[in-house]
Amino acid sequence: MEREKLEVDVLFVGAGPANLAAAWKLAKMLQEQGREAEIAVIEKAQTVGDHILSGAIMDPRAIAELLGPDWARECPVDAEVTTEKVFQLSETGATKFPFVPGPLKNHGNYVVSLSKVVAWMKEKVEELGVMIAEAFPGNEILYEGDRVVGVRTVDMGVDREGNPTGAFMPGTDIMARVTVFGEGSRGSLTKSLVEKLGLQGQNPQVYGTGIKEIWDVPAGRIGAGEVWHTAGWPLKSRHYGGSWVYGMSDTRVSIGFVSALDGGNPDFDPHATMQRWKTHPLLRGLLEGGTLVKAGAKTVPEGGFFSRPRSHGDGFLILGDSGSLLNIARLKGIHTAMKSGLLAAEAIADALAADDVSAAGLEGYEKRFRESWLHDELYGTRNYRAHFHGRGLMLGGFVSNLAMMLGGKIFGDRLPLETDAKAMRRRGELPAEPAFKPDGTLTFDKATAVYNAGAIHEENQPSHLVIADTDVCATRCAEEYGNPCEKFCPAAVYEMVDVADSDRKRMQINFSNCVHCKTCDIADPYGIITWTVPSDAGGPKYSGL
């Protein structure tokens, strides 16, 4: 098959905060130095920001480094944080903490919609001459030996069987001297790169699944910039997770619940847990009489410092969430992603100037990382997530905060983690999760969540969710785990349906529902589900979320 080839100096895969900050800084540096380079950004969503989801409170430290102290005059923000509250929930009660724990203090930070921030960044980057190609999903990494030399985009216009239609368009081979992977949590190309080149960090990555909603509520219930966090109910005592409530304005609120995927119960449903949380009197009092505006879901990389993959090599860098740079102790990853982009821009500029884009030439990224505040922030919380294993939320929180006070080290410099899939217990080993029935007013089913996420995929295309052996679903998985994908997927993608004229069931993949959270690729206990990019560049529409 003949494919169009495009040659650039630097290719950024993914238009998130890390890559856009890197492209912005690199283009500015080259412009100021009177040097030229072809810089391109490819984004799998139809529009930059459509697939971006975050809480989100932004620490402005990194964006201020890029734009200066007046950054907020241009960047879209909803509100500066004004007040903060932390609650421990029981089923019917809420105990307010007498103080805000250090990692959760947000004085000087801003409530934002990250999708709006990256859409604004896209415009600024384009003004500097950077080419940004939307609806251009990267499907395959191009190699020469172990050197990354670019990316092949997905073939478009194929039917369910993979045959070309009248609208067929073969993917483009984008050849690049440096390819930068900033695909967010569990990026498909980053995953394949880490596996192929053995880049995994000292610990495996662990994740949580976050469910987010935007509500319009009657005035007077929350103030712009008011921040709440809750812990406890409805999670079991040993299940890591928690929630947020962020006042975007006096009448609009961002709410969300993040549940760790290593809880072990195959019956656990992150979406139902978030809906149940909204029935608590604290949340009911905030939301009743309001209107659900948008909804979405994504995974959060929680492993931290020791889960970082080796993030530079021959012809490539790995940034942001793809590089395990989220600070789970602070529940923040925007500023860390942007800082990784700024460091990467400097390293790439040096490598291009020296005409050396090998691993040695790009090692400047790692050197800058080790000398930066980003390293210090992440290293100080390096075992935060591991301290919760087997201890429960309260004891784990105490130990993790004590460790941070002692410089991050307690019970050893590095504590081990195991993958979320390995943590899953067999059916019946843990108590069943209680059934939950949404009321359609305050709480909603998964189909409604998919609608409010704006998820759209062309039906006549191959499923971008691939199960290596669906017989396992109907036999071993049904018996051993009770088909947990039906529960952990927040979009009702996986469904065991009856086989006609038989007492058997088969797996049905409702891929058009997919909101690109990647939970299935992470939590599947057999490792047979693979998330790939859809050939229609479809997915959710998270603009404003």
Side-chain angles (χ1 to χ4, degrees), residues 117-166:
V117 172
V118 297
W120 165 75
M121 292 179 72
K122 175 227 176 189
E123 294 178 359
K124 304 298 288 186
V125 170
E126 285 182 320
E127 289 173 4
L128 292 168
V130 175
M131 179 183 72
I132 298 183
E134 299 165 306
F136 245 59
N139 187 52
E140 179 183 350
I141 300 175
L142 301 175
Y143 296 93
E144 288 180 358
D146 286 341
R147 176 186 292 271
V148 174
V149 295
V151 164
R152 175 172 294 165
T153 63
V154 71
D155 293 341
M156 296 187 176
V158 293
D159 64 20
R160 282 179 175 271
E161 284 70 45
N163 300 313
T165 68

Side-chain angles (χ1 to χ4, degrees), residues 24-87:
W24 189 337
K25 177 72 177 288
L26 178 61
K28 284 181 64 177
M29 290 177 63
L30 296 177
Q31 189 179 79
E32 292 167 357
Q33 296 168 7
R35 297 161 54 195
E36 294 184 355
E38 290 291 331
I39 305 172
V41 181
I42 59 172
E43 166 57 38
K44 66 184 177 68
Q46 293 286 345
T47 303
V48 169
D50 277 356
H51 292 176
I52 294 288
L53 183 71
S54 180
I57 289 181
M58 182 172 71
D59 180 332
R61 188 172 186 178
I63 196 168
E65 288 184 18
L66 178 63
L67 288 178
D70 294 331
W71 64 273
R73 291 184 179 180
E74 295 186 69
C75 179
V77 299
D78 291 297
E80 185 172 2
V81 174
T82 56
T83 57
E84 303 168 76
K85 302 173 185 176
V86 180
F87 299 94

Side-chain angles (χ1 to χ4, degrees), residues 128-291:
L128 292 168
V130 175
M131 179 183 72
I132 298 183
E134 299 165 306
F136 245 59
N139 187 52
E140 179 183 350
I141 300 175
L142 301 175
Y143 296 93
E144 288 180 358
D146 286 341
R147 176 186 292 271
V148 174
V149 295
V151 164
R152 175 172 294 165
T153 63
V154 71
D155 293 341
M156 296 187 176
V158 293
D159 64 20
R160 282 179 175 271
E161 284 70 45
N163 300 313
T165 68
F168 178 72
M169 184 172 67
T172 301
D173 285 349
I174 308 177
M175 315 302 295
R177 299 179 67 193
V178 181
T179 304
V180 184
F181 298 93
E183 302 174 282
S185 180
R186 193 69 167 194
S188 55
L189 294 187
T190 307
K191 174 188 170 185
S192 69
L193 176 69
V194 169
E195 290 176 351
K196 176 179 172 65
L197 300 184
L199 306 177
Q200 180 57 56
Q202 293 172 274
N203 278 342
Q205 188 59 270
V206 294
Y207 298 84
T209 293
I211 312 296
K212 178 179 179 179
E213 295 178 354
I214 299 290
W215 281 72
D216 283 339
V217 298
R221 295 187 180 179
I222 195 167
E226 188 171 340
V227 171
W228 306 351
H229 286 106
T230 81
W233 187 88
L235 292 179
K236 301 290 193 300
S237 62
R238 291 185 176 273
H239 197 150
Y240 180 81
S243 75
W244 76 81
V245 176
Y246 301 152
M248 303 172 73
S249 73
D250 293 338
T251 58
R252 177 159 287 194
V253 62
S254 160
I255 66 169
F257 202 103
V258 180
S259 309
L261 291 177
D262 64 355
N265 196 330
D267 197 34
F268 182 76
D269 186 328
H271 173 84
T273 299
M274 195 271 194
Q275 300 306 309
R276 183 176 286 110
W277 169 71
K278 289 190 295 179
T279 67
H280 189 278
L282 182 70
L283 276 298
R284 186 181 292 275
L286 172 69
L287 300 176
E288 272 193 334
T291 304

Side-chain angles (χ1 to χ4, degrees), residues 311-330:
S311 296
H312 75 284
D314 289 337
F316 73 87
L317 294 174
I318 303 173
L319 308 182
D321 276 4
S322 291
S324 190
L325 299 181
L326 180 136
N327 184 339
I328 187 59
R330 296 185 65 200

Side-chain angles (χ1 to χ4, degrees), residues 44 137-139 154 183 188 461-462 464 516 531-537:
K44 66 184 177 68
N139 187 52
V154 71
E183 302 174 282
S188 55
Q461 66 172 315
H464 64 282
H516 296 205
W531 190 97
T532 63
V533 292
S535 63
D536 68 338

Side-chain angles (χ1 to χ4, degrees), residues 447-470:
T448 303
V450 171
Y451 172 80
N452 282 294
I456 299 175
H457 294 83
E458 168 60 50
E459 296 278 359
N460 187 30
Q461 66 172 315
S463 172
H464 64 282
L465 300 156
V466 180
I467 299 180
D469 184 355
T470 55

